Amino acid sequence: MPKLEDVAKLAQVSKTTVSRVLNRRGYLSKETIDKVNQAVKELNYHPNVVARQLYNNKTDLIGLLFPTVANPFFGELTANLEHYLYQKGYKVLIGNSINDPQKEADYLDQLLVKQVDGLIVGTHNQGISQYHNDNLPIVAIDRVMNQDIPIIASDNYAGGKLAVEHLLVQGARKIIHINGPQELATPAQKRRAAYEDVMHDHHLQPITYEVDFNISNTDKLKVFRQIFVEHPDVEAIFASNDLDAALIMQIARERRLRVPRDLLLVGYDGTQTVQSVWPQLTTVIQPIEFMAQKAVTVLQNRLHNQATQSEYLLPVQLHVGTTC
Amino acid sequence: MPKLEDVAKLAQVSKTTVSRVLNRRGYLSKETIDKVNQAVKELNYHPNVVARQLYNNKTDLIGLLFPTVANPFFGELTANLEHYLYQKGYKVLIGNSINDPQKEADYLDQLLVKQVDGLIVGTHNQGISQYHNDNLPIVAIDRVMNQDIPIIASDNYAGGKLAVEHLLVQGARKIIHINGPQELATPAQKRRAAYEDVMHDHHLQPITYEVDFNISNTDKLKVFRQIFVEHPDVEAIFASNDLDAALIMQIARERRLRVPRDLLLVGYDGTQTVQSVWPQLTTVIQPIEFMAQKAVTVLQNRLHNQATQSEYLLPVQLHVGTTC
DNA sequence: TTATTTATGACAACCGGTTGACATATGGAA
DNA sequence: TTCCATATGTCAACCGGTTGTCATAAATAA
């Protein structure tokens, strides 16, 4: 692997001159520029990125910490984040933390140390202390970290309201909601608040099941089956996300419940993948692309020490399919 | 951000000793070890990764170049790759190249230069020349690059055969296949070969539509609608992948064709996402996790200069749903 | 003719950690 | 008493660039 010195030798100029040509600084004649470029091409020389990173004290890398890109919501989010970050000259390092707080802490430990210039996080684990780090600009998506870390989220309260009110309009009364554990501080809890508010407004009893996002589908199915055992008269379910809605659908089939006749179903997220494969699902669409764009903008503000708000709420949209 | 020297000062030892403690080499007394560790903790010191990378001439980063993690196949593949790579001590840098050969070339240019220790690629663009690079270990997934680059793929021929033979058993005769452009050298072309072989064996006329993986859903829908215009008597479609199958399904609904009564449909990939959301789809399941694991193993062999085969074929499985 | 701009080189410090060479001191074993 | 393993320090080179300081020389302008 050729280095700067080799280029200098071949072009018969000094290291300094080569560096000047590559970085366009100082006075340079056309001839030397050509000579150097010629040598660069001949040797197929590329400056060593790591050496530059060391001197410049930045890597142009942004870390993304999310549960898993196997989930279409995080997959699409990651794809969009990568897109916008690439436009700004950053590359993307990913860390999937699903179900493994140790792994998340590990990643943090390593990334916080000059490996990345900034971090965008949306993990679902609790009690990671390293986030209290002033050195590294961090932005959270759909996750409450601490005061210093700005949050990008869709308008979960509005989304919850849209979903529940739609269910009520469709005539459902016994509506059950699924959400993550309350200890986990996520903006998604606002859907629960919306759900409970709307139910109370209609003098209905809210019933919320708390299900950990990280558990396996098999375990989720067990919990969801329990819902139908404990509430055989359930008329509608407002699920945490579209994949959970799919599991509910699976159970509905097991129990020979026809959707929407016997059971109404609303999901959440509205990823393009699920929209494409299961357009019948009524769901609340989060503006994934917009969230990614906003996260990148806010992160860049942080990187440039510009002021940012502590929270950014983006609008959601109800997609009405045939499941309710 | 504290550096090694600061730790040395605080612990009242030399830089060398600190380095010795951190890297466990040479003779060390328990007291100094404790003193150093104490100072490390007190300062919250972490060695600068980039400096280490420069000296060691490796980054412990592996680049993943795929079309987009927004697609569940690549999302799940990426998640699995990340999992296995993490286990081996590598971090993951992603690059999504969809629909943008320039971006792919860009990534390559930058990653080939000591930014990553190795590369796993599965992009769908053509004519990228930089892959002829001897410096960097590369492994390809489901993509033919050049002789030096080992390929991990599922058994596409067997998969194609399974799908088509199942369609025939179900009574279909006019079966249309969708695949990528033939110029694009991918193992997926073997499905086409299998399809055409089986059709010929049954004295049936194979009809293959070539559709670029990278085009938008809107454009794909246009092409797929054309299929039904040109072949109104089509009885079955063997799609390139599950998402394409979903689009076909959409068109079937438009045309009031009932699946499987009026149209049989087989997909390809069998991602957990699609399996979960649309279990009714009959499809060929690629062993994504196994492919990821194999890719990581083979890459590591390359990294350690151990011999590797030029191709690894992994078994597929037919999932029979209700779409055929 | 003199001053200034343009063009290039040599050199060293620096980014932050790693490593080898060499010196030195202590304690216990032979 | 001598020898050696143990324990720590100093110093400098190195990884591969970047940048500032000085020096030098030719070309151009005043």
Side-chain angles (χ1 to χ4, degrees):
Chain A
M1 183 122 287
K3 44 162 127 174
L4 190 134
E5 212 178 325
D6 303 322
V7 177
K9 252 180 224 149
L10 184 62
Q12 307 191 54
V13 295
S14 71
K15 272 178 63 180
T16 311
T17 303
V18 176
S19 181
R20 280 187 189 133
V21 172
L22 296 177
N23 299 296
R24 288 152 234 266
R25 45 172 64 243
Y27 297 114
L28 291 166
S29 71
K30 186 153 183 333
E31 292 107 280
T32 26
I33 295 180
D34 290 345
K35 261 198 303 185
V36 170
N37 284 333
Q38 171 61 25
V40 164
K41 195 174 279 176
E42 210 163 301
L43 293 171
N44 190 26
Y45 168 80
H46 295 269
N48 182 309
V49 183
V50 176
R52 273 196 175 151
Q53 289 176 345
L54 180 58
Y55 184 85
N56 296 130
N57 201 27
K58 64 182 189 117
T59 58
D60 291 327
L61 282 177
I62 301 295
L64 305 187
L65 283 183
F66 290 103
T68 169
V69 286
N71 178 297
F73 178 72
F74 296 113
E76 293 183 16
L77 190 56
T78 298
N80 280 288
L81 286 168
E82 190 270 350
H83 174 76
Y84 289 112
L85 287 169
Y86 175 82
Q87 283 191 340
K88 309 232 179 220
Y90 294 106
K91 289 204 206 51
V92 167
L93 208 151
I94 62 165
N96 286 175
S97 63
I98 193 157
N99 218 359
D100 195 343
Q102 179 55 45
K103 195 174 170 194
E104 178 175 355
D106 246 47
Y107 265 118
L108 269 170
D109 251 6
Q110 297 180 47
L111 297 187
L112 290 176
V113 192
K114 297 277 125 207
Q115 168 101 275
V116 295
D117 292 346
L119 217 47
I120 298 177
V121 294
T123 50
H124 284 204
N125 293 315
Q126 301 166 53
I128 307 282
S129 63
Q130 288 101 320
Y131 285 106
H132 297 277
N133 182 302
D134 329 287
N135 300 310
L136 198 69
I138 303 184
V139 168
I141 293 187
D142 242 329
R143 181 85 167 84
V144 179
M145 312 302 294
N146 65 47
Q147 289 82 345
D148 316 328
I149 298 180
I151 302 164
I152 316 289
S154 60
D155 192 341
N156 283 275
Y157 192 89
K161 218 172 153 197
L162 275 174
V164 180
E165 282 177 346
H166 184 73
L167 286 172
L168 287 166
V169 168
Q170 299 301 305
R173 285 299 168 267
K174 173 124 188 180
I175 304 171
I176 290 179
H177 176 45
I178 301 168
N179 207 314
Q182 265 184 310
E183 314 88 78
L184 197 62
T186 86
Q189 292 294 339
K190 291 191 187 154
R191 292 179 217 163
R192 178 179 188 160
Y195 160 73
E196 293 179 350
D197 287 354
V198 174
M199 291 295 273
H200 283 137
D201 287 351
H202 287 74
H203 309 291
L204 295 168
Q205 177 70 32
I207 304 165
T208 302
Y209 276 76
E210 297 187 7
V211 180
D212 189 343
F213 177 87
N214 284 316
I215 65 174
S216 72
N217 275 356
T218 323
D219 288 341
K220 275 190 181 171
L221 278 171
K222 272 186 206 151
V223 178
F224 294 164
R225 284 201 188 94
Q226 198 57 25
I227 296 179
F228 289 87
V229 172
E230 290 168 9
H231 302 278
D233 55 341
V234 55
E235 296 167 10
I237 292 184
F238 172 26
S240 311
N241 58 64
D242 296 344
L243 293 188
D244 281 6
L247 296 179
I248 301 280
M249 192 71 186
Q250 227 170 288
I251 295 168
R253 268 190 292 269
E254 282 172 20
R255 302 182 74 91
R256 313 242 178 272
L257 294 171
R258 275 155 306 175
V259 174
R261 239 185 68 169
D262 309 323
L263 179 74
L264 301 180
L265 191 55
V266 183
Y268 210 98
D269 286 351
T271 57
Q272 298 198 330
T273 299
V274 175
Q275 286 283 295
S276 174
V277 175
W278 190 19
Q280 300 87 347
L281 175 67
T282 296
T283 191
V284 177
I285 301 180
Q286 297 206 55
I288 297 182
E289 188 180 342
F290 194 17
M291 288 165 77
Q293 193 179 6
K294 185 54 103 184
V296 172
T297 311
V298 172
L299 183 67
Q300 227 193 8
N301 286 341
R302 285 257 143 166
L303 284 163
H304 298 344
N305 290 314
Q306 287 161 18
T308 57
Q309 297 171 217
S310 66
E311 191 170 8
Y312 296 83
L313 274 193
L314 305 178
V316 295
Q317 204 186 321
L318 184 71
H319 165 80
V320 180
T322 59
T323 61
C324 91
Chain B
M1 185 123 284
K3 44 163 127 173
L4 190 133
E5 211 178 328
D6 303 321
V7 177
K9 253 180 224 150
L10 183 62
Q12 307 192 54
V13 296
S14 72
K15 273 177 63 180
T16 309
T17 305
V18 176
S19 181
R20 280 186 190 136
V21 172
L22 296 178
N23 298 297
R24 290 152 230 270
R25 46 171 62 242
Y27 297 114
L28 291 165
S29 71
K30 187 155 183 329
E31 292 107 279
T32 25
I33 293 179
D34 289 345
K35 262 199 302 184
V36 170
N37 285 332
Q38 170 62 25
V40 164
K41 195 174 279 177
E42 212 163 300
L43 293 172
N44 191 27
Y45 168 80
H46 295 269
N48 183 310
V49 183
V50 175
R52 271 194 177 156
Q53 288 177 345
L54 179 58
Y55 185 85
N56 296 130
N57 200 28
K58 65 182 189 115
T59 58
D60 291 329
L61 281 177
I62 301 295
L64 306 186
L65 283 185
F66 290 103
T68 169
V69 285
N71 178 298
F73 178 73
F74 296 112
E76 292 182 17
L77 189 56
T78 298
N80 280 288
L81 287 168
E82 190 271 350
H83 174 76
Y84 290 112
L85 287 169
Y86 176 82
Q87 283 190 341
K88 308 233 179 216
Y90 294 106
K91 289 205 207 52
V92 167
L93 207 151
I94 61 164
N96 286 174
S97 63
I98 193 158
N99 217 357
D100 195 344
Q102 178 55 44
K103 196 174 169 194
E104 178 174 354
D106 246 47
Y107 265 118
L108 269 171
D109 250 5
Q110 298 180 46
L111 297 187
L112 290 177
V113 191
K114 296 278 123 205
Q115 168 101 275
V116 294
D117 292 347
L119 217 46
I120 299 177
V121 295
T123 51
H124 284 206
N125 293 316
Q126 304 167 51
I128 306 283
S129 64
Q130 288 100 322
Y131 285 106
H132 296 278
N133 182 303
D134 329 287
N135 299 310
L136 198 69
I138 304 184
V139 168
I141 293 187
D142 241 329
R143 180 86 167 85
V144 179
M145 312 303 294
N146 65 49
Q147 289 82 343
D148 316 328
I149 299 180
I151 302 165
I152 317 289
S154 60
D155 192 341
N156 282 275
Y157 192 89
K161 216 170 157 201
L162 274 174
V164 180
E165 282 176 346
H166 184 72
L167 285 171
L168 287 166
V169 168
Q170 298 301 305
R173 286 299 168 267
K174 173 126 188 177
I175 302 172
I176 290 178
H177 176 45
I178 301 169
N179 207 314
Q182 265 184 309
E183 314 87 78
L184 196 62
T186 87
Q189 292 293 340
K190 292 191 188 155
R191 292 178 215 163
R192 177 178 187 160
Y195 160 73
E196 292 178 349
D197 288 354
V198 174
M199 291 295 274
H200 283 136
D201 287 353
H202 289 73
H203 310 290
L204 293 169
Q205 176 70 31
I207 305 165
T208 301
Y209 276 76
E210 297 188 8
V211 181
D212 188 344
F213 177 85
N214 283 316
I215 66 173
S216 71
N217 274 357
T218 323
D219 288 341
K220 276 190 182 172
L221 278 171
K222 273 187 207 149
V223 179
F224 294 165
R225 284 201 188 94
Q226 198 56 26
I227 297 180
F228 289 87
V229 173
E230 290 169 8
H231 302 278
D233 55 340
V234 55
E235 295 168 9
I237 293 184
F238 172 27
S240 311
N241 58 64
D242 295 345
L243 294 188
D244 281 4
L247 295 179
I248 302 279
M249 192 70 186
Q250 227 169 285
I251 294 169
R253 267 190 293 269
E254 282 172 18
R255 302 182 75 91
R256 313 240 176 275
L257 295 171
R258 275 155 306 175
V259 174
R261 238 187 68 170
D262 309 324
L263 179 74
L264 302 180
L265 191 55
V266 183
Y268 210 98
D269 286 350
T271 58
Q272 297 198 331
T273 298
V274 175
Q275 287 282 296
S276 174
V277 175
W278 189 19
Q280 300 86 351
L281 175 67
T282 295
T283 190
V284 177
I285 301 180
Q286 298 205 57
I288 298 182
E289 187 180 342
F290 194 19
M291 288 165 76
Q293 193 178 7
K294 186 53 103 183
V296 172
T297 312
V298 173
L299 183 67
Q300 227 192 9
N301 286 343
R302 287 257 143 168
L303 284 164
H304 298 346
N305 291 314
Q306 286 160 19
T308 57
Q309 298 172 218
S310 66
E311 191 170 7
Y312 297 83
L313 273 194
L314 307 178
V316 296
Q317 203 186 323
L318 184 71
H319 164 80
V320 179
T322 60
T323 61
C324 91

